Amino acid sequence: MQTQSLAAVQTNGAPPTSRQVIGRVVATERQPNTAYEFHFWATEDASLGIGALVKVDAGARKVWGVITEGYTYNDVPNPLADYLGFDGNPLMPMPTVRTEIRLYRAAVLRHYPEQPVQPPPIAPVYLATEADVHYALRIDEIPPARRIPVGVYESGETLVPIYLDADFLLGPEAGHLNVTGTSGLAAKTSAIQFLLTAIFQKAHKSVAVVCFNVKGGDLLFIDHAPLHTLSEHDLKVYQAVGIQPKPFPHVEYYAPYKPDRMNLATLRTHPNLRHNVRPLLWGMKEVMRYVEVLLNKDDVDAKADAFLQFLRQRVIDPEVFEFEGEEAEILQARNLPTQLKVRSFTDLVQWFELVLKYLEAKNQKQWRSFAVETIRKIQNRLVNLTTRFAGLVGECEKPSDLPWGEFQDRTVYVIDVANMSAEAQDLIFTRIIAELRERMEQRDLGVDSVVVVVDELNQYAPNTNRETYVMRTLRDICARGRYLGLVLFGAQQFRSQVDRQVVGNCSTALYGRIEMEELAQPGYAIFGDAAKEKLGALAPGEMLVRHPYFNQPIFVRFPRPALMRGQDGLKTYPPAPDLPLEDAVWQHLRQLNPKLQRNAVADLIARTCNGNGKPNRDAVIGAMHKVLVNPPAPDEVLRAFERALPTVIHPHRVESSALPDDTQPPVDAPLGLLDDDDDEPDPFRF
């Protein structure tokens, strides 16, 4: 670590603030000072409060502390003496001016010299300057290249930037961030957005962000400037921390389809916003790796788990399965195939049917050590996945997915799951997190670090005795992710309801406004009574910060993010209604070729009309997905869509007669009775 001289630190580009004596350290028999806590009295006009930083200076020895409690004293021995002094009349002029002092308790942040650790000396107390703040919080030991601003410490008119160490926020030294606060009052999302903006502008390594939008339009307009004007104070904070107030320049949105597989299940459907919204559609291979998420815990017993492993390793991953030996002979005898390509759920259903027909032919209850009951149970759970999760799970052989291996630096990838069922959210969350982890282990993602942002963390990792697949994934990330550059930024309303291993591995924590019922939980016992009272009344934009460099939590203020809020975005860009088939296909293909004409697409769709005059919906949607997954050159989009459509053989009507009704037959052949005895004998009759 590098250490800076106190004199080298400046205040927002200005000379350090002149020191001002505000009081003196005091120690009594009843309230002695310790090496980690001291008391001091201060003048009435001293600008002090809970969370203020002070400095004790005795020349050779110096101590820095943060105020954790305040008291007021005078020489009245008890309340009765004061009551009698006013004869019980509060309007009576004060008979004697009593001496009044203000006493404060402070927790020690840092000593100089560091050793030996001793109680603070009885010496004058000063307000902390910016240099004192940075030294007390050990910010001076953070190399400038690793400083990430989290907000400012306010001392009168002075705004002191507070920095976090990037290696302790993004790894590898430590990692992960947890934000707690009351919904709507703590500005949890705003705090994360500001910190991500600071990371993008200050971090010296490539970073990408993956966000899960779980509530309405919260994260759907972060690439747009806000409708409101930032306050003068917010602009001063931005200037103090050296951050430019602007929205994220590169954002890509992903959302599954609705059950119609045409319209996306997102609120970001306004025509002006569709250019960076992409579908999320997975096939059998992507889903089967994490199918346990979709199954009840009672379903996946040891036998079922073994059969699922067999399916993945022997049937799905190779993409071709071949029956051999006696199995092949029995299937061939019944004109059934012995080799089968398994690339979609339709192929998997056919594979199950072949296995069950073989068991039926052999009259057996077991196939390759798997009981027929287990096979049928897994079959019943899998065959309807494309129906249960229509729009997310389909028959596609190649998925519409995130750009794995090609993540871009300083890009935010937002996955909108707000309109999905809880099971679908679990599947999306688990697969994306697991894929990120595997890619980061192989260093095959495209960036050095990835920040995963999850709101409502108590929903995915609740503090219960029931362990889920999602919880195991989160625990693994929090335990090992920092070594890989994969870190979790989680937020929730109630920290006490989140799995203890998940929050325990977060090296940095932010606390906004918290209700008193939550503060009464055991996890908040580390805070004093005064700090809890202040936490219960914090305004939006104020946070209590815990970080490995800080010996004590520090109150900071962060500015409002320069991003469009979700509610403003929904008013400015209201969601478009669901589109019919022709318009939906045209809109999707237009993203590949903005000059594509709607009539040209509609004409191709009309060619698939069947006998009742309606287009072949499944074929059209399948062709659209093929083009979107393998995007051709812009001028080839229409031809690629045409090639993906099936060839339609139009039915021709066969007339009952080629001649007009009033035309006589060309030959008047005599017709005899079938039993006419005068007919010539049949030479072939015996």
Side-chain angles (χ1 to χ4, degrees):
M1 291 186 176
Q2 300 178 357
T3 304
Q4 280 187 293
S5 168
L6 291 180
V9 183
Q10 302 296 315
T11 305
N12 302 335
T17 305
S18 59
R19 296 200 305 169
Q20 177 184 358
V21 180
I22 58 172
R24 287 187 64 86
V25 175
V26 61
T28 65
E29 292 183 3
R30 294 186 177 182
Q31 289 185 326
N33 296 329
T34 68
Y36 302 100
E37 184 179 79
F38 64 93
H39 300 81
F40 69 94
W41 59 263
T43 60
E44 293 184 8
D45 60 346
S47 180
L48 295 175
I50 305 302
L53 273 64
V54 295
K55 175 184 179 182
V56 179
D57 193 345
R61 291 196 57 222
K62 300 176 178 62
V63 177
W64 291 263
V66 55
I67 295 176
T68 59
E69 188 58 275
Y71 311 91
T72 297
Y73 286 96
N74 60 22
D75 59 354
V76 178
N78 53 61
L80 180 59
D82 192 67
Y83 176 81
L84 294 176
F86 283 91
D87 290 336
N89 182 7
L91 299 178
M92 178 182 291
M94 185 179 298
T96 304
V97 177
R98 297 185 181 276
T99 301
E100 180 180 337
I101 69 168
R102 295 184 179 182
L103 183 70
Y104 295 93
R105 184 174 66 203
V108 173
L109 290 171
R110 194 172 183 182
H111 295 264
Y112 179 83
E114 301 281 356
Q115 297 293 337
V117 179
Q118 299 178 352
I122 306 299
V125 178
Y126 301 84
L127 283 174
T129 63
E130 178 173 346
D132 293 326
V133 173
H134 284 186
Y135 188 81
L137 300 179
R138 301 183 184 273
I139 292 175
D140 63 310
E141 297 180 354
I142 304 177
R146 294 185 353 215
R147 294 183 180 182
I148 306 296
V150 68
V152 296
Y153 164 76
E154 292 184 306
S155 178
E157 297 297 325
T158 303
L159 303 179
V160 182
I162 302 299
Y163 299 102
L164 308 178
D165 189 336
D167 285 358
F168 285 79
L169 184 64
L170 303 176
E173 300 297 336
H176 316 299
L177 170 79
N178 186 263
V179 187
T180 305
T182 303
S183 179
L185 297 175
K188 302 185 297 294
T189 303
S190 297
I192 292 178
Q193 290 173 348
F194 169 74
L195 193 55
L196 292 177
T197 301
I199 291 173
F200 277 13
Q201 296 188 25
K202 295 296 184 180
H204 283 250
K205 52 185 174 182
S206 57
V207 183
V209 176
V210 175
C211 297
F212 292 89
N213 182 64
V214 298
K215 293 185 300 184
D218 272 4
L219 303 176
L220 299 184
F221 308 96
I222 59 176
D223 54 343
H224 284 70
L227 296 183
H228 60 273
T229 303
L230 294 177
S231 66
E232 183 178 352
H233 186 271
D234 285 339
L235 294 176
K236 288 181 179 179
V237 175
Y238 273 110
Q239 183 179 5
V241 298
I243 299 296
Q244 298 180 16
K246 58 182 181 180
F248 294 108
H250 306 292
V251 184
E252 294 185 9
Y253 294 90
Y254 291 84
Y257 289 101
K258 291 182 178 181
D260 61 10
R261 295 182 296 150
M262 299 184 307
N263 295 282
L264 295 178
T266 178
L267 296 176
R268 189 183 167 98
T269 55
H270 192 276
N272 295 343
L273 305 180
R274 295 182 61 92
H275 61 281
N276 59 349
V277 183
R278 294 171 176 78
L280 200 64
L281 181 65
W282 296 335
M284 180 189 62
K285 295 193 67 173
E286 290 74 32
V287 173
M288 285 300 298
R289 293 188 61 188
Y290 312 99
V291 73
E292 289 89 350
V293 180
L294 307 177
L295 302 179
N296 295 328
K297 190 176 181 180
D298 298 335
D299 289 339
V300 189
D301 52 18
K303 297 178 181 179
D305 185 65
F307 183 64
L308 287 173
Q309 293 292 337
F310 175 85
L311 277 180
R312 283 190 284 256
Q313 297 174 6
R314 300 289 302 277
V315 179
I316 295 174
D317 288 345
E319 296 187 355
V320 176
F321 185 86
E322 184 171 1
F323 294 90
E324 299 175 348
E326 183 185 19
E327 297 174 354
E329 293 177 0
I330 293 176
L331 293 176
Q332 285 179 344
R334 286 160 174 76
N335 295 322
L336 296 174
T338 60
Q339 188 182 67
L340 186 66
K341 292 183 179 180
V342 185
R343 298 179 180 177
S344 65
F345 281 102
T346 301
D347 299 336
L348 185 62
V349 169
Q350 187 178 358
W351 180 86
F352 271 109
E353 291 176 352
L354 289 176
V355 172
L356 294 174
K357 286 180 179 179
Y358 167 78
L359 290 173
E360 182 181 352
K362 288 282 292 182
N363 195 21
Q364 292 183 174
K365 297 295 184 181
Q366 194 171 11
W367 179 77
R368 297 194 183 187
S369 76
F370 300 113
V372 65
E373 292 83 3
T374 300
I375 297 175
R376 288 189 180 278
K377 180 170 69 173
I378 297 300
Q379 179 194 26
N380 293 335
R381 302 302 187 273
L382 298 182
V383 295
N384 65 345
L385 288 181
T386 55
T387 303
R388 287 175 57 197
F389 303 99
L392 173 63
V393 179
E395 294 290 348
C396 54
E397 295 184 5
K398 188 173 181 181
S400 297
D401 215 344
L402 272 69
W404 302 116
E406 299 178 355
F407 271 40
Q408 299 298 316
D409 185 24
R410 268 63 177 178
T411 301
V412 182
Y413 300 90
V414 179
I415 296 92
D416 189 5
V417 297
N419 298 316
M420 305 302 295
S421 65
E423 288 181 319
Q425 288 186 11
D426 288 347
L427 175 60
I428 294 172
F429 183 81
T430 302
R431 181 184 179 270
I432 290 179
I433 296 297
E435 190 75 22
L436 286 171
R437 181 189 59 197
E438 293 180 8
R439 296 277 182 168
M440 293 301 290
E441 287 177 347
Q442 302 168 4
R443 297 298 173 188
D444 182 32
L445 193 61
V447 291
D448 298 328
S449 296
V450 176
V451 178
V452 179
V453 179
V454 181
D455 198 359
E456 305 296 341
L457 192 59
N458 53 289
Q459 175 183 342
Y460 299 101
N463 187 20
T464 61
N465 295 326
R466 184 172 179 267
E467 186 178 79
T468 63
Y469 199 92
V470 178
M471 185 184 296
R472 292 199 300 269
T473 304
L474 285 173
R475 284 178 176 175
D476 184 66
I477 290 176
C478 291
R480 302 191 305 114
R482 61 188 177 93
Y483 301 106
L484 308 174
L486 179 61
V487 294
L488 174 68
F489 282 16
Q492 69 284 319
Q493 185 173 353
F494 304 109
R495 181 184 174 96
S496 61
Q497 296 182 7
V498 179
D499 181 69
R500 300 174 70 177
Q501 294 187 38
V502 173
V503 297
N505 279 308
C506 295
S507 64
T508 304
L510 304 181
Y511 301 84
R513 180 170 178 170
I514 303 175
E515 297 297 334
M516 299 307 296
E517 293 83 359
E518 173 68 6
L519 288 171
Q521 300 300 318
Y524 299 91
I526 57 175
F527 302 124
D529 292 339
K532 290 181 181 180
E533 293 289 343
K534 187 170 182 177
L535 280 172
L538 286 179
E542 292 181 308
M543 286 280 180
L544 183 66
V545 181
R546 294 175 61 194
H547 187 64
Y549 274 78
F550 308 160
N551 287 345
Q552 296 290 332
I554 301 298
F555 286 99
V556 302
R557 179 181 291 275
F558 64 90
R560 176 177 293 185
L563 311 172
M564 182 176 289
R565 297 180 300 181
Q567 55 186 351
D568 294 336
L570 293 177
K571 293 178 181 178
T572 307
Y573 302 101
D578 288 351
L579 300 175
L581 180 64
E582 293 83 356
D583 291 329
V585 174
W586 174 57
Q587 289 287 359
H588 283 294
L589 297 181
R590 274 189 66 197
Q591 297 185 30
L592 305 179
N593 180 10
K595 298 180 180 180
L596 190 63
Q597 298 296 319
R598 180 191 181 283
N599 289 340
V601 176
D603 289 343
L604 293 180
I605 295 176
R607 296 181 188 177
T608 67
C609 291
N610 49 31
N612 59 8
K614 295 182 179 180
N616 188 335
R617 186 186 186 88
D618 292 338
V620 171
I621 293 175
M624 178 190 73
H625 291 166
K626 288 182 180 179
V627 176
L628 294 177
V629 169
N630 299 294
D635 56 348
E636 290 291 327
V637 171
L638 190 63
R639 282 190 285 270
F641 178 61
E642 183 178 9
R643 289 193 297 268
L645 291 172
T647 302
V648 179
I649 301 177
H650 296 285
H652 295 278
R653 183 183 176 203
V654 179
E655 300 293 343
S656 59
S657 175
L659 298 174
D661 295 339
D662 55 352
T663 305
Q664 295 294 329
V667 177
D668 248 341
L671 299 178
L673 298 176
L674 294 178
D675 56 349
D676 190 350
D677 294 337
D678 296 336
D679 290 344
E680 293 290 333
D682 186 355
F684 300 101
R685 185 176 180 181
F686 298 96

